Amino acid sequence: MRPKMERAILDVASSAQYIMGPQVKALEEQLAAYVGVKHCLTCANGTDALTLALKAWGVGQGDAVFVPDFTFFASAEVVAIESATPVFVDVDAATYNIDPESLENAIEKVESEGLLRPRVVIAVDLFGLPANFAAIREIADRHGMLILEDGAQGFGGSIDGKKACSFGDIATTSFFPAKPLGCYGDGGALFTNNDEWAALVASYRVHGKGSNKYDNVRIGLNSRLDTLQAAVLQVKLNVFDEELERVNEAARLYTDLLKNSVTTPTIPNGFGSSWAQYTIQLAGSEQRGEVQQALNEARIPSMIYYPHPMHSQTAFKGISNAMPYDTYISNKLCETVLSLPMHPYLTKADIEAVADVLVRKCM
Ligand SMILES: *Cc1c(COP(=O)(O)O)cnc(C)c1O
């Protein structure tokens, strides 16, 4: 895609419309159509996208926001930024996503304590796989709560043909380079079918603007997507479905080669993953250490996503009420998971080389 990319980047440079140039609006329309929702609003990064959603809903002090205990820090950080309370919920061992039964238990506990108002569930599409939105929607409806879909890793995933980032009342994504649809720096977006929330997000992302930028009606952020990044994303969106096929092919091959040696990822019936990560589980932290060392020696990169459950993060000491809730699976996953190389341009030989090391170490 190099010639197209160079032209797209130079077009922005010579147009000098660096902020909110025409590529931004065009990309938003393309993304909304791709996902199948009415509104897409881009912003500076995936963390700001989550923050903008919480601001649009007026989430703040006294509100409980339920977040999986096994996710990237930003999913819960944004709750604390808005002075609301993150309540950490356990995940499903097979899908790595929020466990509906643990969610229900945590909500009931918060309701019976009566100190916080359950407002929002942040359901993360971890490693590219959409969360169990049928079950989460039923629970959220019953308790009068909103769903914020953190699709930072989920863009391109699907359930029964419906695209990720269409399941939350508001959904967000990130264009950080390592995400399924990555740009050449930071970027993010929100998706919603709700006109009122879309208008609020449009205001909050530009200093809480009213009728114009110098009429400020609320305290907001400066959080726009650079025109340059929008241009990069337009080129990459063109090949995205092809890349999605390639990562799915890579995942199938990994699973074929590894399924008798380690715990391979589970994709439930009807679900599609965009494979932000291909994450296996080993028998324990000792075996994981040995495997990582063997991969290292073969000059194969691997990463632990994530080494610490959210509730144990230093930053949340004193502000979370995670401790009363049982997050046994999240704790265990932090000891056993390992993410292997995954991107659309892996060759069969690359994958076989990675699998070789693992199969030898995990007989
Ligand atoms: C990457 C990520 C974010 C934050 O996105 P940034 O663009 O890096 O701010 C939020 N949630 C999850 C689950 C992520 O993986």
Side-chain angles (χ1 to χ4, degrees):
M1 65 188 101
R2 185 172 192 131
K4 279 183 186 146
M5 192 61 88
E6 286 175 347
R7 183 159 340 114
I9 290 171
L10 284 172
D11 278 353
V12 177
S14 44
S15 80
Q17 288 183 274
Y18 308 128
I19 304 292
M20 291 302 210
Q23 289 88 340
V24 175
K25 186 92 197 117
L27 174 71
E28 287 175 342
E29 281 165 13
Q30 287 163 340
L31 290 170
Y34 185 86
V35 167
V37 298
K38 192 166 173 196
H39 303 283
C40 169
L41 293 115
T42 54
C43 64
N45 56 67
T47 308
D48 280 4
L50 292 165
T51 295
L52 287 164
L54 295 179
K55 283 191 184 299
W57 287 340
V59 171
Q61 190 134 32
D63 291 334
V65 177
F66 298 79
V67 186
D69 201 32
F70 186 69
T71 181
F72 179 59
F73 185 65
S75 307
E77 178 183 32
V78 295
V79 178
I81 290 173
E82 298 307 304
S83 304
T85 302
V87 178
F88 299 114
V89 176
D90 211 0
V91 297
D92 180 289
T95 63
Y96 304 115
N97 283 328
I98 198 164
D99 174 45
E101 198 181 315
S102 302
L103 173 64
E104 178 90 60
N105 290 342
I107 295 169
E108 278 169 9
K109 187 134 200 233
V110 166
E111 281 175 344
S112 74
E113 284 169 356
L115 299 170
L116 297 168
R117 200 160 48 119
R119 284 284 313 275
V120 176
V121 184
I122 298 186
V124 179
D125 300 335
L126 204 71
F127 302 150
L129 179 71
N132 182 352
F133 284 101
I136 296 164
R137 176 60 68 192
E138 192 274 320
I139 293 168
D141 283 354
R142 198 148 31 76
H143 294 274
M145 296 169 65
L146 293 163
I147 299 174
L148 176 51
E149 178 184 359
D150 179 353
Q153 301 180 18
F155 191 85
S158 59
I159 305 175
D160 296 331
K162 213 168 166 263
K163 288 285 185 191
C165 295
S166 70
F167 302 113
D169 294 297
I170 298 179
T172 62
T173 197
S174 163
F175 304 122
F176 181 82
K179 312 285 180 175
L181 179 61
C183 64
Y184 290 178
D186 279 306
L190 299 94
F191 300 86
T192 186
N193 284 316
N194 184 294
D195 298 342
E196 188 191 333
W197 297 333
L200 283 167
V201 168
S203 164
Y204 275 117
R205 79 172 163 181
V206 186
H207 305 288
K209 71 173 178 172
S211 54
N212 67 67
K213 191 172 152 186
Y214 303 104
D215 168 35
N216 306 94
V217 296
R218 47 185 72 87
I219 303 297
L221 303 177
N222 171 19
S223 186
R224 292 166 297 224
L225 182 72
D226 287 349
T227 311
L228 212 49
Q229 300 301 349
V232 167
L233 285 164
Q234 283 188 296
V235 176
K236 291 194 73 178
L237 189 58
N238 259 325
V239 297
F240 184 68
D241 276 338
E242 195 183 304
E243 292 192 336
L244 210 50
E245 265 173 50
R246 284 167 163 271
V247 286
N248 273 284
E249 213 167 288
R252 275 194 295 276
L253 184 54
Y254 263 134
T255 298
D256 272 354
L257 297 171
L258 294 174
K259 61 176 186 268
N260 296 322
S261 306
V262 303
T263 304
T264 51
T266 302
I267 307 300
N269 264 343
F271 283 62
S273 176
S274 54
W275 297 105
Q277 301 295 338
Y278 185 90
T279 303
I280 58 167
Q281 292 167 50
L282 296 155
S285 59
E286 201 175 312
Q287 190 191 45
R288 180 174 67 178
E290 286 166 18
V291 165
Q292 252 206 312
Q293 198 187 330
L295 288 168
N296 252 336
E297 281 161 13
R299 307 193 49 186
I300 295 167
S302 64
M303 283 292 283
I304 298 172
Y305 298 116
Y306 294 94
H308 307 293
M310 278 296 113
H311 76 263
S312 76
Q313 291 281 11
T314 309
F316 290 126
K317 292 230 156 69
I319 60 164
S320 86
N321 58 348
M323 298 320 284
Y325 306 105
D326 188 5
T327 56
Y328 171 82
I329 304 282
S330 301
N331 294 329
K332 180 155 178 269
L333 288 174
C334 291
E335 302 285 314
T336 58
V337 288
L338 190 65
S339 299
L340 304 179
M342 177 50 100
H343 61 78
Y345 304 99
L346 281 171
T347 64
K348 189 159 178 268
D350 290 333
I351 295 166
E352 284 168 349
V354 178
D356 239 35
V357 175
L358 277 149
V359 170
R360 260 189 294 117
K361 274 277 154 196
C362 306
M363 283 199 286

